[in-house]
Amino acid sequence: MGVVKKICCIGAGYVGGPTCAVIAHQCPDIKVTIVDLSQARINAWNSNNLPIYEPGLDEIVFGARGKNLFFSTDVEGAILEADLIFVSVNTPTKKSGMGAGMAADLAYVESATRKIAEVAKSSKIVVEKSTVPCRTAESMRTILDANSHDHIRFDLLSNPEFLAEGTAISDLLNPDRVLIGALQTPEGLKAQQALAEVYSHWVPRDRVITTNLWSSELSKLAANALLAQRISSINALSAICEATGADVDEVAYAVGKDTRIGPKFLKASVGFGGSCFQKDILNLTYLAESLNLPEVAAYWHQVVIMNEYQKKRFVKRIITKLFNTITNKKIAVFGFAFKKDTGDTRESAAITLIKDFIDEHAHVRLYDPKVEESQIWIDLSDVSGADAAKKHVTLFPDPYSAAEDADAVVIVTEWDEFRDTKLDYQRIYDSMKKPACIFDGRLILDANKLRKIGFKVDVIGKNELAGKA
Ligand code: NAD
Ligand code: UDX
């Protein structure tokens, strides 16, 4: 395969959409077609109201769409004409059958792969963009080879995506690294080179790492496992801080100053969410179990167990501080997305917390600046049932109305607009039931400032003894 001129991306989701839109934006000489089975999703990509919220995405898409960037449901047409095909479909945790609750569901990867084999009439580079268990490329190759038309060659690459939601566009424009794994054969290396050429339009060559296929696949799981492990580690320390009077922000700062540790991903929180961390660690755990490495599996699984513990601990603390009952109390929840600057709610800590509040018969008054209302009802109905969700949860258009007459405010997502430099917390205090309590699950508030207003303030990883003898 020589120079790549036409790219097809199968899967117009949080990864396929932004990633291939940036490729189109940076490579005007390449035609990029992003395809999906969902007509609604493709319609949204072709409209002025894109299906995902991501800072900077509109400009990139609107700048290239219709020129060298196209969104379509014509999967076959796009496969036929492409030199290189990204497979960027979802790989969720399996819900039933063998490995349920742990293994990645590879059904979407397999059906996309079968479609490529069935349709392709010329040789293609097929790139795993989805996060997959180690050695998935082998299965894809077997499917391709067994089902393809005669004389068609498929070269498989692994090119995992490291973007984080909320910062996807800057991550893609300026990546720490781009990883491309290939079989160490002359053809594999040639395909690896062809994809490296695409990225070289804007990524410095020394940031394009080339490895063998299996290292590339495993590196993606390893990166997410190590990042999530840091959060669970600081969250485990936050429990010790609360019990002792140490301040978790001070501890994170002090340890992060060690250049061997570094400061990033040490922000204590109500627990990590998002579509990747839990799924990928469970995937890694399952892989270790399948390889008969139970100690390795248990080690990584503990990161997820600690994350669940952190969410439960926070709920317990809220109930305890609200005089051991929240039945019929009004709890204002600020934020539903799994992190700021995204409308994505997958595995958001807010879902678990609100389910627990509903189980305790509290009345939840919810505000989030970006999450679609319909998505909130889908998520809450999933965990609590539609009737209980509707009975116990009310959505509000702004934080002030959500907090009115509430017993407590709970900060769940770290949206900038919830900071005490942005919101009028005096106004919020005045409208709340007294004692007015505020629980900061994201460490974004100045507790002393709020205490001066009159709030009872509770922050993850801090206790009121902090700073006292
Ligand atoms: P997503 O659910 O947002 O998008 C996947 C899309 O693929 C959906 O629109 C679905 O309709 C489509 N699809 C599924 N099967 C198809 C088929 N056979 N043909 C055409 N379209 C098909 O998922 P996502 O968040 O974009 O994640 C995609 C992959 O990237 C996953 O493996 C994920 O682990 C990985 N990843 C995600 C992120 C992230 O931040 N979301 C970051 C890095 C890696
Ligand atoms: C993650 C990885 O960062 C990214 O490289 C990979 O490609 C996909 O998975 P994402 O899940 O989009 O990205 O966001 P991330 O910023 O990693 O945050 C994940 C969760 O951890 C969020 O709920 C966030 O609030 C939480 N978090 C993050 C913390 O609680 N503390 C931190 O210090 C950092």
Side-chain angles (χ1 to χ4, degrees), residues 144-279:
L144 288 169
D145 287 348
N147 294 285
S148 58
H149 299 280
D150 285 349
H151 309 304
I152 293 186
R153 195 187 154 75
F154 292 105
D155 286 299
L156 258 160
L157 298 175
S158 159
N159 173 222
E161 185 48 59
F162 295 102
L163 68 79
E165 289 178 28
T167 54
I169 298 303
S170 59
D171 293 345
L172 288 164
L173 289 174
N174 190 23
D176 287 345
R177 78 314 206 175
V178 166
L179 177 57
I180 308 176
L183 277 185
Q184 302 299 292
T185 58
E187 296 81 5
L189 296 175
K190 215 167 148 200
Q192 194 173 42
Q193 210 39 48
L195 181 55
E197 280 302 324
V198 173
Y199 284 109
S200 73
H201 281 73
W202 78 100
V203 180
R205 269 299 168 130
D206 60 355
R207 292 206 207 154
V208 179
I209 303 172
T210 50
T211 65
N212 79 38
L213 263 178
W214 326 122
S215 306
S216 174
E217 288 178 333
L218 186 57
S219 296
K220 175 62 199 177
L221 295 183
N224 275 354
L226 286 165
L227 289 168
Q229 182 204 43
R230 280 173 73 95
I231 303 171
S232 276
S233 298
I234 199 70
N235 283 343
L237 289 165
S238 77
I240 298 182
C241 289
E242 287 163 30
T244 56
D247 175 321
V248 76
D249 271 339
E250 293 181 352
V251 173
Y253 181 76
V255 300
K257 274 288 172 190
D258 186 325
T259 51
R260 294 169 303 174
I261 296 173
K264 294 184 180 166
F265 271 71
L266 285 181
K267 190 76 180 166
S269 69
V270 59
F272 59 74
S275 63
C276 293
F277 281 171
Q278 175 172 305
K279 163 175 84 71

Side-chain angles (χ1 to χ4, degrees), residues 100-388:
M102 300 289 279
D105 184 348
L106 296 174
Y108 304 98
V109 172
E110 178 167 340
S111 74
T113 309
R114 284 186 183 278
K115 181 58 84 182
I116 296 169
E118 173 198 318
V119 170
K121 296 216 166 68
S122 59
S123 297
K124 315 274 177 203
I125 299 176
V126 178
V127 186
E128 273 176 352
K129 191 51 130 171
S130 298
T131 303
V132 289
C134 202
R135 295 200 82 87
T136 300
E138 197 170 33
S139 317
M140 290 172 74
R141 160 170 287 286
T142 308
I143 291 168
L144 288 169
D145 287 348
N147 294 285
S148 58
H149 299 280
D150 285 349
H151 309 304
I152 293 186
R153 195 187 154 75
F154 292 105
D155 286 299
L156 258 160
L157 298 175
S158 159
N159 173 222
E161 185 48 59
F162 295 102
L163 68 79
E165 289 178 28
T167 54
I169 298 303
S170 59
D171 293 345
L172 288 164
L173 289 174
N174 190 23
D176 287 345
R177 78 314 206 175
V178 166
L179 177 57
I180 308 176
L183 277 185
Q184 302 299 292
T185 58
E187 296 81 5
L189 296 175
K190 215 167 148 200
Q192 194 173 42
Q193 210 39 48
L195 181 55
E197 280 302 324
V198 173
Y199 284 109
S200 73
H201 281 73
W202 78 100
V203 180
R205 269 299 168 130
D206 60 355
R207 292 206 207 154
V208 179
I209 303 172
T210 50
T211 65
N212 79 38
L213 263 178
W214 326 122
S215 306
S216 174
E217 288 178 333
L218 186 57
S219 296
K220 175 62 199 177
L221 295 183
N224 275 354
L226 286 165
L227 289 168
Q229 182 204 43
R230 280 173 73 95
I231 303 171
S232 276
S233 298
I234 199 70
N235 283 343
L237 289 165
S238 77
I240 298 182
C241 289
E242 287 163 30
T244 56
D247 175 321
V248 76
D249 271 339
E250 293 181 352
V251 173
Y253 181 76
V255 300
K257 274 288 172 190
D258 186 325
T259 51
R260 294 169 303 174
I261 296 173
K264 294 184 180 166
F265 271 71
L266 285 181
K267 190 76 180 166
S269 69
V270 59
F272 59 74
S275 63
C276 293
F277 281 171
Q278 175 172 305
K279 163 175 84 71
D280 293 347
I281 292 182
L282 292 174
N283 189 338
L284 187 62
T285 303
Y286 187 72
L287 179 68
E289 272 173 9
S290 323
L291 296 169
N292 203 17
L293 301 168
E295 289 82 0
V296 178
Y299 175 77
W300 288 113
H301 197 202
Q302 194 58 32
V303 173
V304 174
I305 293 172
M306 183 54 62
N307 197 47
E308 291 306 307
Y309 169 72
Q310 186 74 349
K311 290 185 257 182
K312 287 283 170 217
R313 225 168 56 72
F314 190 51
V315 170
K316 195 168 165 203
R317 203 162 164 204
I318 291 170
I319 296 173
T320 307
K321 293 278 163 109
L322 291 177
F323 315 108
N324 292 313
T325 176
I326 56 169
T327 301
N328 285 327
K329 288 188 178 158
K330 292 179 181 158
I331 313 274
V333 171
F334 285 7
F336 194 78
F338 81 95
K339 64 186 279 198
K340 73 171 180 176
D341 293 338
T342 177
D344 195 354
T345 63
R346 291 178 289 180
E347 303 298 336
S348 177
I351 301 172
T352 318
L353 260 53
I354 294 175
K355 180 202 180 300
D356 288 353
F357 296 156
I358 292 175
D359 287 349
E360 296 288 335
H361 303 292
H363 296 290
V364 175
R365 302 166 67 82
L366 176 61
Y367 166 71
D368 186 282
K370 279 287 174 231
V371 177
E372 301 282 342
E373 285 194 12
S374 54
Q375 188 60 48
I376 295 177
W377 293 124
I378 290 171
D379 291 337
L380 294 180
S381 301
D382 261 7
V383 290
S384 294
D387 291 347

Side-chain angles (χ1 to χ4, degrees), residues 26 53 89 135 174 222 225 252 285 338 343 423 457 468:
Q26 299 297 93
Y53 170 69
V89 299
R135 295 200 82 87
N174 190 23
T285 303
F338 81 95
L423 267 191
V457 186
K468 294 191 182 142

